[in-house]
């Protein structure tokens, strides 16, 4: 039981990391510099 | 214009928009930016030096459950920070983000809380090196390792890091790159050695997920939570990728990747290492009763001489970790002083013309880290019956200080977004899209949770120390800085002519002279 939960936890952690890499990677590729504005708090 | 030159010019223009000149040498690539955070996280420092702590409180299950659990939530925090680094690429990072997202006073408190955490992390890392190096040296030179010899060893290690950081970002950057590979190679050597020499006596995989066994006097669930300090402290310092952002080429993409991937890779390699070490334990009770559980387990599994060689290799990895942590600490202090947030700011914001490094900030980092350990040494010398360990004290201070500082800008970004101030157009290339808010909220919940866990007994001394420091900060704020701290916003008023003058001054005099300081 504990072994199964532990392996599931490790799998979730790995899948989360891969999901973020994919999500952010796509956003970097599709970034449109012309729509960007520096946030300087004004 | 080649790609590299184009990036340099674009990066400089991005920095100039915030009112800052390009003073630090921008020479770090993507791997170097990743390497500095990976080296500070240093699975061979945190996970190893607090291995006994984790095993004592959470038993073998601490490695099977505690490590991935903490890693999951730290990746959530790191993803939110990476998004901010991409949007606001300045060396002040956390405090600069807080200043811009809310106001200068939020930034001022964030900076100081971050500084407290940074002092704790540098002291904790170099003290870990001393804890491993001193007993090994005592074997070689035939003296007895005591708290005094450990403190001397600690001072020498800090000194070596101060000198190397002073001499230049290029050499430190090369050592950081080497350190990242070194960490991976040593983990592989450790895993292969333990698997080969212990193959007949390795525990079954079930042992790694064994829960309910603690070697402390606390109930298991409570003990397990205390034991999380091992993993939580290991996963600190990844803000270094943001602190070196003004030295990184194409930082709006490379720094966020450095922040996130340094945590992700540390999780993977750290888990592999902890799993094999834990599976090779023959007597967990004896290991937790030894002076250093990790040294005990390795010596039992690999034998005397070979075990000592492995321990020397691990100690060297810790040394690299300390080197990187001073780089990060000094850059943060440089950026904060550049905005006049500290006493004698003008001094700490000086850049060595010869080496293009914040030399005085580097040496202040060294002195403050030494003082923290020295105070603890004096307390223990006067009260020999104290039950907490120095390493647990230093690490708890750094975990709470750093994670609270990580959490403040994440919170302020959520607030600024809800008020419509921070919009999609302000995001950098590296962002989380529609998942940004939920990831930020989950990260904040984790930070609140671990900040409480890290200062409950037996680590209450860390809580008292942090509480005392916060009181001092409030006094400093109301006595002076409330009305006199200009904040990063003041830099926005710097004319482009002045920015270019500072850049030209550094470029025209690459050698000689002690430094350049910020005027007015």
């Amino acid at each position: 039981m504990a072994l199964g939960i532990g392996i599931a936890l490790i799998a979730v952690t790995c899948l989360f990391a891969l999901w973020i890499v994919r999500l952010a990677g796509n956003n970097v590729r599709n970034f449109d510099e012309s729509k960007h504005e520096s946030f300087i708090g004004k | 214009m080649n790609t590299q030159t184009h990036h340099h010019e674009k990066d400089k223009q991005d920095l100039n928009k915030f009112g800052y000149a390009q003073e630090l040498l921008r020479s770090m690539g993507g791997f170097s930016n990743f390497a500095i955070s990976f080296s500070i996280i240093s699975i061979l420092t945190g996970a190893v030096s607090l291995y006994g702590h984790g095993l004592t409180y959470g038993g073998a299950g601490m490695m099977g459950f505690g490590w991935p659990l903490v890693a999951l939530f730290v990746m959530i925090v790191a993803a939110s920070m990476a998004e901010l680094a991409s949007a606001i690429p300045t060396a002040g990072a956390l405090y600069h983000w807080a200043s811009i997202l809310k106001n200068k006073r939020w930034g001022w408190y964030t900076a100081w809380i971050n500084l407290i955490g940074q002092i704790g992390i540098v002291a904790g890392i170099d003290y870990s090196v001393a804890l491993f190096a001193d007993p090994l040296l005592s074997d070689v030179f035939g003296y007895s390792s005591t708290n005094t010899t450990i403190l001397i060893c600690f001072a020498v290690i800090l000194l070596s890091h101060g000198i190397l950081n002073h001499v230049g970002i290029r050499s430190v950057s090369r050592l950081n790159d080497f350190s990242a590979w070194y960490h991976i190679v040593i983990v592989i050597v450790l895993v292969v050695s333990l698997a080969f020499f212990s193959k007949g006596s390795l525990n079954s995989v079930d042992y790694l997920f064994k829960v309910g066994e603690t070697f402390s006097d606390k109930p298991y669930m409570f003990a397990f939570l205390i034991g999380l300090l091992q993993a939580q402290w290991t996963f600190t310092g990844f803000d270094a990728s943001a602190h070196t952002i003004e030295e990184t080429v194409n930082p709006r993409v490379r720094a966020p990747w450095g922040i996130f991937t340094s945590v992700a890779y540390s999780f993977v390699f750290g888990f592999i290492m902890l799993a094999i070490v834990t599976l090779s334990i023959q007597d967990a009770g004896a290991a937790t009763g030894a002076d250093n559980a990790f040294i005990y387990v390795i010596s039992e599994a690999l034998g005397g001489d070979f075990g000592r060689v492995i321990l020397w290799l691990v100690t060297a990895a810790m040394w690299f970790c300390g080197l990187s942590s001073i780089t990060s600490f000094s850059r943060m202090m440089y950026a904060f002083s550049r905005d006049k947030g500290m006493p004698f700011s003008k001094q700490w914001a000086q850049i060595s013309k010869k080496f293009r490094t914040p030399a005085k900030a580097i040496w202040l980092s060294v002195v403050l880290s030494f003082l923290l350990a020295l105070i603890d040494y004096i307390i223990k010398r006067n009260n020999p019956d104290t039950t907490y360990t120095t390493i647990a004290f230093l690490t708890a201070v750094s975990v709470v200080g750093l994670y609270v500082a990580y959490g403040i800008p994440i919170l302020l970004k959520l607030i600024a977004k809800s008020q419509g101030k921070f919009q999609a157009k302000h995001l950098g290339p590296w962002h989380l899209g529609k998942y940004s808010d939920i990831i930020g909220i989950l990260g904040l919940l984790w930070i609140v949770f671990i900040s409480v866990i890290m200062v409950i007994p037996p680590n209450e001394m860390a809580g008292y120390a942090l509480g005392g420091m916060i009181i001092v900060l409030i006094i400093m704020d109301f006595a002076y800085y409330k009305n006199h701290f200009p904040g990063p916003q003041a830099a926005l008023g710097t004319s482009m002519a002045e920015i270019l003058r500072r850049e030209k001054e550094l470029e025209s005099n690459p050698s000689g002279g002690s430094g350049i300081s910020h005027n007015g």
Side-chain angles (χ1 to χ4, degrees):
Chain A
M1 178 69 175
L3 177 65
I5 297 169
I7 290 172
L9 177 61
I10 293 161
V12 166
T13 308
C14 290
L15 287 172
F16 176 77
L18 291 172
W19 176 64
I20 292 287
V21 167
R22 195 174 163 188
L23 176 70
N26 283 336
N27 289 336
V28 168
R29 273 190 293 278
N30 299 326
F31 183 68
D32 184 352
E33 189 69 55
S34 65
K35 290 180 182 167
H36 175 70
E37 200 176 290
S38 291
F39 185 76
I40 51 178
K42 282 185 172 176
Chain B
M1 188 183 281
N2 63 35
T3 310
Q4 187 80 351
T5 311
H6 169 75
H7 273 306
H8 270 291
E9 193 53 35
K10 174 79 178 69
D11 300 342
K12 192 183 87 63
Q13 286 170 1
D14 283 339
L15 182 63
N16 292 162
K17 281 178 189 166
F18 293 95
Y20 297 122
Q22 179 68 56
E23 295 183 321
L24 298 169
L25 190 64
R26 198 181 283 276
S27 64
M28 292 173 79
F31 183 78
S32 296
N33 186 281
F34 155 83
I36 191 168
S37 283
F38 187 72
S39 297
I40 295 180
I41 291 173
S42 181
I43 47 179
L44 288 167
T45 303
V48 165
S49 59
L50 286 177
Y51 186 79
H53 179 90
L55 190 65
T56 301
Y57 285 98
M62 179 53 63
M63 316 305 156
F65 284 105
W67 184 263
L69 180 72
V70 170
L72 175 62
F73 282 97
V74 170
M75 275 195 270
I76 288 171
V77 175
S80 292
M81 284 173 57
E83 195 177 52
L84 279 165
S86 187
I88 310 172
T90 55
L94 306 163
Y95 105 86
H96 202 161
W97 303 339
S99 297
I100 286 179
L101 289 164
K102 185 70 178 173
N103 59 44
K104 61 184 185 180
R105 287 185 79 194
W106 277 87
W108 188 84
Y109 277 101
T110 305
W112 274 103
I113 294 168
N114 190 14
L115 276 177
I116 291 166
Q118 295 269 5
I119 296 169
I121 200 171
V122 171
I125 291 166
D126 278 1
Y127 200 83
S128 295
V129 189
L131 280 176
F132 273 71
D134 193 57
L136 291 168
L137 287 169
S138 70
D139 274 355
V140 175
F141 295 107
Y143 67 89
S144 297
S145 175
T146 64
N147 283 343
T148 306
T149 58
I150 288 172
L151 190 74
I152 294 167
C153 190
F154 169 68
V156 172
I157 291 158
L158 269 174
L159 201 63
S160 67
H161 289 152
I163 292 167
L164 273 168
N165 270 283
H166 187 149
V167 166
I169 185 65
R170 280 213 174 96
S171 55
V172 172
S173 179
R174 279 191 209 105
L175 283 169
N176 283 333
D177 291 357
F178 175 72
S179 168
W181 287 114
Y182 182 84
H183 272 76
I184 292 168
V185 169
I186 297 303
V187 167
I188 292 170
V189 169
L190 190 61
V191 169
V192 171
S193 306
L194 286 171
F196 182 76
F197 287 107
S198 315
K199 58 188 172 188
S201 54
L202 283 178
N203 294 299
S204 72
V205 179
D206 293 87
Y207 181 68
L208 191 60
F209 300 97
K210 185 179 179 183
V211 290
E213 183 182 54
T214 177
F215 300 94
S216 70
D217 56 357
K218 307 276 190 293
Y220 184 73
M221 274 314 293
F222 186 56
F224 181 87
L225 294 176
I226 294 170
L228 290 179
L229 176 65
Q230 180 198 9
Q232 195 65 54
W233 186 57
T234 306
F235 290 112
T236 51
F238 47 89
D239 50 323
S241 291
H243 291 308
T244 51
I245 215 161
E246 290 178 26
E247 290 152 274
T248 303
V249 178
N250 192 16
R252 292 191 305 162
V253 172
R254 286 172 167 170
W257 278 129
I259 292 170
F260 187 77
T261 55
S262 59
V263 175
Y265 280 111
S266 295
F267 157 63
V268 173
F269 285 102
F271 182 76
I272 293 167
M273 178 188 75
L274 288 174
I276 194 77
V277 171
T278 305
L279 292 177
S280 64
I281 290 176
Q282 298 306 312
D283 183 348
T288 56
D291 284 343
N292 185 319
F294 189 84
I295 291 179
Y296 179 87
V297 173
I298 297 297
S299 301
E300 287 291 299
L302 299 178
D305 289 340
F306 188 58
R308 263 193 291 279
V309 170
I310 293 288
L311 290 170
W312 269 113
L313 294 172
V314 169
T315 306
M318 293 181 179
W319 184 88
F320 284 120
C321 173
L323 180 73
S324 308
S325 68
I326 292 208
T327 310
S328 174
F329 186 8
S330 59
R331 282 357 178 233
M332 194 270 147
M333 203 183 294
Y334 154 76
F336 190 36
S337 302
R338 182 172 60 178
D339 292 328
K340 304 175 184 65
M342 295 175 65
F344 310 109
S345 279
K346 204 172 173 182
Q347 294 296 319
W348 319 127
Q350 278 192 7
I351 296 289
S352 158
K353 279 186 181 175
K354 186 170 183 181
F355 299 111
R356 295 284 294 266
T357 53
K360 290 187 179 176
I362 288 166
W363 288 106
L364 184 62
S365 312
V366 168
V367 170
L368 290 176
S369 304
F370 179 75
L371 284 178
L372 186 64
L374 180 67
I375 291 166
D376 183 73
Y377 171 82
I378 293 167
I379 291 172
K380 282 199 162 165
R381 205 172 165 88
N382 293 332
N383 306 283
D385 298 331
T386 46
T387 53
Y388 71 93
T389 61
T390 302
I391 192 69
F393 166 75
L394 296 174
T395 52
V397 167
S398 62
V399 164
V400 179
L402 289 174
Y403 273 90
V404 170
Y406 295 169
I408 292 172
I410 295 173
L411 172 68
L412 296 179
K413 194 204 118 194
L414 287 170
I415 294 170
K417 202 173 171 187
S418 71
Q419 294 170 337
K421 291 177 186 167
F422 191 94
Q423 300 167 14
K425 65 181 178 184
H426 296 125
L427 290 167
W430 201 106
H431 65 89
L432 303 167
K434 62 183 178 183
Y435 301 102
S436 175
D437 291 354
I438 186 67
I439 288 174
I441 290 166
L442 285 172
L444 285 174
L445 290 174
W446 179 255
I447 289 170
V448 171
F449 171 69
I450 55 108
S451 296
V452 174
I453 295 299
M454 294 302 131
V455 296
I456 55 177
N459 278 338
E460 69 272 26
M461 187 58 81
Y464 297 145
L466 284 161
M469 288 189 241
I470 297 292
I471 290 169
V472 172
L473 287 188
I474 292 170
I475 293 168
M476 282 168 63
D477 178 30
F478 280 90
Y480 182 78
Y481 287 96
K482 182 182 174 186
N483 297 320
H484 295 90
F485 175 53
Q489 283 91 343
L492 293 170
T494 311
S495 68
M496 188 52 75
E498 170 64 12
I499 290 170
L500 294 175
R501 185 195 65 76
R502 284 185 192 163
E503 288 174 351
K504 206 167 179 179
E505 194 178 343
L506 277 166
E507 282 163 12
S508 65
N509 190 2
S511 62
S514 60
I516 180 172
S517 62
H518 291 257
N519 306 321

